[in-house]
Amino acid sequence: MINNKDFALGFAAKLSRAIEQQHFEQAIKEVQTLRPIDIADVIALIEPRLAWQLLEQLPNRSTIFAYLDADIQVELAYVFPRAILAKLVGEMPSDERTDLYKHLSQDQRDALLPALAQAKREDIRRLSAYEERTAGALMSSDYATLGAQMTVSEALDALRLEAPDAETIYHTYVIDDDRKLLGVVSLRVLILASPEQLIQDIMLSSVISCDVNDHQEDVAKTVARYDLISLPITDASGALVGIVTHDDAMDVASDEATDDFHKSGGVSTMVGRLKDVSIRVLYRKRVFWLVFLVFGNLLSGLSIAKFEDVIAANLVLVFFLPLLVDSGGNAGSQSATLMVRALATGDVVMRDWFSLLGREAMVALMLGATMAVAISIIGYVRGDAVVSLVLAMSMMSVVMIGCVIGMSLPFILNKLGFDPATASAPLITSVCDAAGVLIYLFIASKFLAIG
């Protein structure tokens, strides 16, 4: 396993020298001591003109190529001779082959397709036609099927023929003449069954599946919920059109979690590795929310301007202003984080909002009371009993409002059809800051003298 960057760089340099000197046997011997994913890490560090020469010589080249990041795959595709690229693409699993095809330029696509077998051309065209981020765009067409009237002996013979081209045979799907999904049978059940038994007698007819137009996040949730090795994908007529394997579903879950994490920080969806993203893209992904929140923060300034006379007469209020508004923002961010994650995992739904609101209000009241005690002591030391009372009441109010806003905003966005993750920490903080300033100074104006 390569887990040291310096070692990987040294290994890549050694391979590069061997390839440049046409010592392919030495290079192949070196890389065959590594696992495919580690070979991919090394190849990513080699010049493309040398990398394709090495890949061409490796028997498991398609597996290694699939581990490379999409941008590196495209870079290598530019330098591969068309015949070699077509051979490599033809060996790839259907879903990975389609992903690469989508990343190629139109000129590369036009050059590649005629070099592929007709069946693979049609498969690429069919899979690439599905809308992005749907089950159809995620699925693979490399799966094994059986007929309901087959015997177990016939089924095992059929699987031996289909296994080399199938992504998995641990779950095999039973279909009729119209490719309607009838059931599923596991390899374990097949091995334990008697050779004369019919597939229809041992298959599980209650099959968990997803529609080809379902969102990929729903597909990943289904795979995780039922702990599936693979999930069948059907069209509107119920016909089996593909499968999504567990590893692809987990990749989606990881991507969706990363997407939500970026949104929680007010950053638009990123594509690719951070270290490879250009300055222009980083600017474009971050500028919208920052500019939007600049105008949002003007609300805090307007609140301060409205109560200038209160502040002028009681300068001690300024000392506690950042502390109070930040407390509301922090409490709101905590509530928003809990709700966004709960909505994402399906732990809560829209109808749970009212019951959760009551619970959150009680929690906020307890948190606010605890924080009010702490700040009132400091307020008494810095000011007097009245200042202490103003701070205590303001803290309880600010924390209460912050928690309610933080909990409710993800539900509101979800109801309006937006991603709840958009209720990001910067957005919650800005809203709670404005509300906190207004509440604090309003309470102060009612209790403190104005000069």
Side-chain angles (χ1 to χ4, degrees), residues 9-23:
L9 288 169
F11 201 100
K14 185 178 180 181
L15 277 181
S16 297
R17 287 193 297 270
I19 298 169
E20 285 179 330
Q21 296 169 5
Q22 301 294 303
H23 295 161

PDB file of all heavy atoms in Angstrom, residues 9-23:
ATOM      1  N   LEU A   9       6.201   9.419  -5.217  1.00  0.00           N
ATOM      2  CA  LEU A   9       6.942  10.235  -6.187  1.00  0.00           C
ATOM      3  C   LEU A   9       8.218   9.533  -6.629  1.00  0.00           C
ATOM      4  O   LEU A   9       8.564   9.533  -7.822  1.00  0.00           O
ATOM      5  CB  LEU A   9       7.269  11.597  -5.570  1.00  0.00           C
ATOM      6  CG  LEU A   9       6.088  12.560  -5.400  1.00  0.00           C
ATOM      7  CD1 LEU A   9       6.485  13.755  -4.538  1.00  0.00           C
ATOM      8  CD2 LEU A   9       5.588  13.036  -6.762  1.00  0.00           C
ATOM      9  N   GLY A  10       8.911   8.917  -5.674  1.00  0.00           N
ATOM     10  CA  GLY A  10      10.134   8.189  -6.012  1.00  0.00           C
ATOM     11  C   GLY A  10       9.843   6.998  -6.890  1.00  0.00           C
ATOM     12  O   GLY A  10      10.582   6.705  -7.847  1.00  0.00           O
ATOM     13  N   PHE A  11       8.750   6.291  -6.571  1.00  0.00           N
ATOM     14  CA  PHE A  11       8.360   5.130  -7.365  1.00  0.00           C
ATOM     15  C   PHE A  11       7.992   5.555  -8.780  1.00  0.00           C
ATOM     16  O   PHE A  11       8.363   4.896  -9.767  1.00  0.00           O
ATOM     17  CB  PHE A  11       7.167   4.436  -6.695  1.00  0.00           C
ATOM     18  CG  PHE A  11       6.976   3.007  -7.103  1.00  0.00           C
ATOM     19  CD1 PHE A  11       7.418   1.975  -6.298  1.00  0.00           C
ATOM     20  CD2 PHE A  11       6.352   2.687  -8.295  1.00  0.00           C
ATOM     21  CE1 PHE A  11       7.246   0.651  -6.676  1.00  0.00           C
ATOM     22  CE2 PHE A  11       6.175   1.373  -8.682  1.00  0.00           C
ATOM     23  CZ  PHE A  11       6.619   0.341  -7.870  1.00  0.00           C
ATOM     24  N   ALA A  12       7.268   6.673  -8.899  1.00  0.00           N
ATOM     25  CA  ALA A  12       6.871   7.173 -10.216  1.00  0.00           C
ATOM     26  C   ALA A  12       8.088   7.576 -11.039  1.00  0.00           C
ATOM     27  O   ALA A  12       8.145   7.320 -12.250  1.00  0.00           O
ATOM     28  CB  ALA A  12       5.918   8.355 -10.049  1.00  0.00           C
ATOM     29  N   ALA A  13       9.070   8.218 -10.400  1.00  0.00           N
ATOM     30  CA  ALA A  13      10.294   8.617 -11.112  1.00  0.00           C
ATOM     31  C   ALA A  13      11.049   7.398 -11.608  1.00  0.00           C
ATOM     32  O   ALA A  13      11.575   7.371 -12.737  1.00  0.00           O
ATOM     33  CB  ALA A  13      11.166   9.457 -10.183  1.00  0.00           C
ATOM     34  N   LYS A  14      11.110   6.358 -10.775  1.00  0.00           N
ATOM     35  CA  LYS A  14      11.792   5.118 -11.155  1.00  0.00           C
ATOM     36  C   LYS A  14      11.097   4.460 -12.345  1.00  0.00           C
ATOM     37  O   LYS A  14      11.757   3.989 -13.292  1.00  0.00           O
ATOM     38  CB  LYS A  14      11.803   4.179  -9.952  1.00  0.00           C
ATOM     39  CG  LYS A  14      12.574   2.892 -10.164  1.00  0.00           C
ATOM     40  CD  LYS A  14      12.566   2.059  -8.877  1.00  0.00           C
ATOM     41  CE  LYS A  14      13.332   0.765  -9.053  1.00  0.00           C
ATOM     42  NZ  LYS A  14      13.305  -0.058  -7.802  1.00  0.00           N
ATOM     43  N   LEU A  15       9.775   4.434 -12.325  1.00  0.00           N
ATOM     44  CA  LEU A  15       9.025   3.856 -13.441  1.00  0.00           C
ATOM     45  C   LEU A  15       9.217   4.663 -14.712  1.00  0.00           C
ATOM     46  O   LEU A  15       9.353   4.100 -15.810  1.00  0.00           O
ATOM     47  CB  LEU A  15       7.533   3.802 -13.091  1.00  0.00           C
ATOM     48  CG  LEU A  15       7.035   2.625 -12.249  1.00  0.00           C
ATOM     49  CD1 LEU A  15       5.539   2.749 -12.033  1.00  0.00           C
ATOM     50  CD2 LEU A  15       7.347   1.297 -12.918  1.00  0.00           C
ATOM     51  N   SER A  16       9.205   5.977 -14.583  1.00  0.00           N
ATOM     52  CA  SER A  16       9.378   6.842 -15.755  1.00  0.00           C
ATOM     53  C   SER A  16      10.701   6.553 -16.453  1.00  0.00           C
ATOM     54  O   SER A  16      10.767   6.477 -17.689  1.00  0.00           O
ATOM     55  CB  SER A  16       9.300   8.312 -15.338  1.00  0.00           C
ATOM     56  OG  SER A  16       8.030   8.622 -14.818  1.00  0.00           O
ATOM     57  N   ARG A  17      11.763   6.405 -15.663  1.00  0.00           N
ATOM     58  CA  ARG A  17      13.072   6.113 -16.250  1.00  0.00           C
ATOM     59  C   ARG A  17      13.053   4.774 -16.979  1.00  0.00           C
ATOM     60  O   ARG A  17      13.611   4.636 -18.082  1.00  0.00           O
ATOM     61  CB  ARG A  17      14.147   6.115 -15.157  1.00  0.00           C
ATOM     62  CG  ARG A  17      14.494   7.496 -14.634  1.00  0.00           C
ATOM     63  CD  ARG A  17      15.761   7.471 -13.803  1.00  0.00           C
ATOM     64  NE  ARG A  17      15.605   6.643 -12.600  1.00  0.00           N
ATOM     65  CZ  ARG A  17      15.179   7.100 -11.442  1.00  0.00           C
ATOM     66  NH1 ARG A  17      14.839   8.372 -11.313  1.00  0.00           N
ATOM     67  NH2 ARG A  17      15.078   6.292 -10.398  1.00  0.00           N
ATOM     68  N   ALA A  18      12.419   3.775 -16.370  1.00  0.00           N
ATOM     69  CA  ALA A  18      12.363   2.442 -16.980  1.00  0.00           C
ATOM     70  C   ALA A  18      11.590   2.475 -18.302  1.00  0.00           C
ATOM     71  O   ALA A  18      11.991   1.845 -19.286  1.00  0.00           O
ATOM     72  CB  ALA A  18      11.719   1.452 -16.008  1.00  0.00           C
ATOM     73  N   ILE A  19      10.484   3.228 -18.339  1.00  0.00           N
ATOM     74  CA  ILE A  19       9.676   3.304 -19.557  1.00  0.00           C
ATOM     75  C   ILE A  19      10.419   4.059 -20.648  1.00  0.00           C
ATOM     76  O   ILE A  19      10.418   3.654 -21.827  1.00  0.00           O
ATOM     77  CB  ILE A  19       8.322   3.976 -19.257  1.00  0.00           C
ATOM     78  CG1 ILE A  19       7.532   3.152 -18.241  1.00  0.00           C
ATOM     79  CG2 ILE A  19       7.505   4.141 -20.535  1.00  0.00           C
ATOM     80  CD1 ILE A  19       6.315   3.860 -17.692  1.00  0.00           C
ATOM     81  N   GLU A  20      11.072   5.168 -20.294  1.00  0.00           N
ATOM     82  CA  GLU A  20      11.814   5.950 -21.277  1.00  0.00           C
ATOM     83  C   GLU A  20      12.941   5.136 -21.897  1.00  0.00           C
ATOM     84  O   GLU A  20      13.289   5.320 -23.064  1.00  0.00           O
ATOM     85  CB  GLU A  20      12.367   7.215 -20.620  1.00  0.00           C
ATOM     86  CG  GLU A  20      11.297   8.278 -20.372  1.00  0.00           C
ATOM     87  CD  GLU A  20      11.867   9.510 -19.700  1.00  0.00           C
ATOM     88  OE1 GLU A  20      12.842   9.366 -18.936  1.00  0.00           O
ATOM     89  OE2 GLU A  20      11.337  10.616 -19.930  1.00  0.00           O
ATOM     90  N   GLN A  21      13.499   4.222 -21.128  1.00  0.00           N
ATOM     91  CA  GLN A  21      14.582   3.367 -21.622  1.00  0.00           C
ATOM     92  C   GLN A  21      14.053   2.081 -22.254  1.00  0.00           C
ATOM     93  O   GLN A  21      14.829   1.180 -22.565  1.00  0.00           O
ATOM     94  CB  GLN A  21      15.540   3.031 -20.476  1.00  0.00           C
ATOM     95  CG  GLN A  21      16.252   4.260 -19.905  1.00  0.00           C
ATOM     96  CD  GLN A  21      16.993   3.960 -18.614  1.00  0.00           C
ATOM     97  OE1 GLN A  21      17.067   2.809 -18.176  1.00  0.00           O
ATOM     98  NE2 GLN A  21      17.532   5.004 -17.983  1.00  0.00           N
ATOM     99  N   GLN A  22      12.713   2.020 -22.404  1.00  0.00           N
ATOM    100  CA  GLN A  22      12.051   0.868 -23.024  1.00  0.00           C
ATOM    101  C   GLN A  22      12.243  -0.431 -22.229  1.00  0.00           C
ATOM    102  O   GLN A  22      12.165  -1.529 -22.780  1.00  0.00           O
ATOM    103  CB  GLN A  22      12.553   0.671 -24.471  1.00  0.00           C
ATOM    104  CG  GLN A  22      12.314   1.863 -25.387  1.00  0.00           C
ATOM    105  CD  GLN A  22      10.834   2.120 -25.626  1.00  0.00           C
ATOM    106  OE1 GLN A  22      10.109   1.245 -26.082  1.00  0.00           O
ATOM    107  NE2 GLN A  22      10.391   3.329 -25.303  1.00  0.00           N
ATOM    108  N   HIS A  23      12.452  -0.304 -20.948  1.00  0.00           N
ATOM    109  CA  HIS A  23      12.588  -1.481 -20.084  1.00  0.00           C
ATOM    110  C   HIS A  23      11.206  -1.825 -19.514  1.00  0.00           C
ATOM    111  O   HIS A  23      10.960  -1.713 -18.305  1.00  0.00           O
ATOM    112  CB  HIS A  23      13.577  -1.207 -18.957  1.00  0.00           C
ATOM    113  CG  HIS A  23      14.968  -0.972 -19.429  1.00  0.00           C
ATOM    114  ND1 HIS A  23      15.937  -0.341 -18.664  1.00  0.00           N
ATOM    115  CD2 HIS A  23      15.575  -1.276 -20.606  1.00  0.00           C
ATOM    116  CE1 HIS A  23      17.071  -0.268 -19.335  1.00  0.00           C
ATOM    117  NE2 HIS A  23      16.872  -0.832 -20.532  1.00  0.00           N
TER     118      HIS A  23
END
